[in-house]
Amino acid sequence: MANYSTLSNLIATHGDAAIFRRFTPLNVKNLLYMQAELIHLDAELRIIENEDRTSGNPEKSSFSSSFYDLKESAGTGNDSQWHSALLQFMDIQRLAKPMPRDIDFLREWLDRPEGGDFFLRGREADTWHSSSDFIKLCGQQSDIDALTRAIYNKIIPWYHHVWGHRMRVCEHLYASDLAKLTKAEKPSKTREWDGVWVYDRAMLTAIANGISTLLASLLPASSILILYLLPKPATRLAVSMLFITLFSFILTTVSTARRIDVFAATAA
């Protein structure tokens, strides 16, 4: 029977399943509450400072000019907690979102009889089903290019549906990852690992790099050949504009270049 240990083994072995809730609304609400608390504390502090100055008490009057006296009389402040929470929220927001295929895989595994078999109960059952606010801890994809993303999310699922499911059945997920585990850490050959197919990410990246290299070689050469064969200047200008547009589109697709880099490369 599947349980949290089975799920943790899946995530530990298959890094793309390391997907967790970001809880952005809850974190923002916490920051808002802490900010409101600091606003009230700041207003109270100004009142206390004014009372200390006009109290006629030498000890209290020294608070505005002596940090030591103020520190000795002060309680624990909340400003450090506020800044820590703010920095933690910024760090969480920088984490990449999972690819659609990753979250679909995790949801499908949790619901599949041979996988999680709906072992989560109550509110926990909606952890990965009732939200789209997720973060991915392993295999960050924030800087992945559009071509690799399309291969991962579109082409591989299509290939797997048509042909790949006949060729690449994998009972234990990544063999390279399993080789790093000790014998005690390796998942046993049980039914919850059945039906999991894995395509090597390095292979997908190599395919994307090969396509990029092929396009980088063929596009300039083909443009020169076509322009050489065209007799009319007006037609050559039109074809040149077409190739420039195609070049900028391909550059955006096969790389993570910024817009300014695309403009510079196209103008050159």
Side-chain angles (χ1 to χ4, degrees), residues 122-153:
R123 296 184 184 276
E124 297 175 29
D126 295 331
T127 302
W128 286 277
H129 289 78
S130 63
S131 175
S132 59
D133 188 27
F134 297 106
I135 56 175
K136 184 178 179 181
L137 299 186
C138 301
Q140 300 297 322
Q141 302 297 323
S142 57
D143 59 345
I144 193 171
D145 60 85
L147 177 60
T148 305
R149 190 181 300 273
I151 292 175
Y152 188 82
N153 288 326

Side-chain angles (χ1 to χ4, degrees), residues 14 16 99-102 136 141 144 146-157 174 199 201 204:
H14 187 44
D16 288 335
M99 286 187 176
R101 293 298 306 175
D102 294 332
K136 184 178 179 181
Q141 302 297 323
I144 193 171
L147 177 60
T148 305
R149 190 181 300 273
I151 292 175
Y152 188 82
N153 288 326
K154 302 295 182 182
I155 298 177
I156 289 299
Y174 283 121
Y199 294 87
R201 187 178 296 278
L204 302 183

Side-chain angles (χ1 to χ4, degrees), residues 25 27-39 82:
N27 286 322
V28 171
K29 187 183 296 184
N30 181 52
L31 289 174
L32 291 175
Y33 286 157
M34 296 182 71
Q35 178 179 255
E37 182 183 10
L38 287 175
I39 291 174
W82 152 256

